[in-house]
Amino acid sequence: MEHLSSRIWEDLIGRSSGPLSFRLIMQPIMAGTFGILDGVKDARRGRPPYFWTLFTDPAQRRALLRDGWKSIAKIFILAIILDFLYQLIVFRRFYPVEALIVANVLAIVPYLLLRGPINRLMQRH
């Protein structure tokens, strides 16, 4: 198990250089842009902060997840595809768990980190 986790960690760190490294900048920018746009929409509609509401309001959770996924799905799928290509070029095989980790970090995390705070900032102004 240690070998597996150390291989995954080394593989993830190694993605910062080499083929397709531009995606490590472009995908978080795209995801963040969608997070900003959705945060502005939320503020205009008077909605509470996205990420916080996911955890605190079970009645809205399903609708919020559906709405967020609708915004971020294309970027998430693109992250999976690009990581798949990267892995084929560099490793000559595909590690799906690593692709999921990369897609989450590049697509979902920036979206979540920006949507709620932008909503709060817009509601204050």
Side-chain angles (χ1 to χ4, degrees):
M1 191 61 143
E2 279 184 46
H3 172 69
L4 177 65
S5 63
S6 65
R7 181 192 53 82
I8 289 173
W9 183 247
E10 288 174 18
D11 289 352
L12 292 174
I13 297 298
R15 283 171 170 74
S16 62
S17 62
L20 303 174
S21 61
F22 69 94
R23 70 197 164 95
L24 301 177
I25 296 170
M26 293 306 299
Q27 286 175 327
I29 289 173
M30 291 174 11
T33 301
F34 283 110
I36 290 169
L37 293 173
D38 287 347
V40 170
K41 287 179 196 173
D42 288 347
R44 287 184 181 151
R45 294 177 183 157
R47 292 182 179 169
Y50 181 79
F51 193 57
W52 181 252
T53 307
L54 281 175
F55 290 106
T56 60
D57 191 354
Q60 291 186 37
R61 189 172 295 143
R62 182 172 290 199
L64 286 172
L65 287 172
R66 191 176 308 124
D67 180 59
W69 181 248
K70 201 166 75 174
S71 294
I72 205 72
K74 291 176 185 167
I75 297 169
F76 184 83
I77 291 168
L78 180 64
I80 296 275
I81 291 169
L82 288 175
D83 200 64
F84 172 76
L85 293 173
Y86 170 85
Q87 288 183 34
L88 288 180
I89 292 168
V90 174
F91 306 128
R92 305 250 187 257
R93 58 181 299 191
F94 179 59
Y95 299 103
V97 172
E98 289 181 23
L100 288 172
I101 292 169
V102 169
N104 276 298
V105 169
L106 295 182
I108 294 175
V109 170
Y111 180 82
L112 290 175
L113 288 176
L114 287 172
R115 184 171 175 173
I118 292 298
N119 178 354
R120 285 188 200 108
L121 285 173
M122 293 300 295
Q123 285 182 356
R124 287 184 184 165
H125 296 324

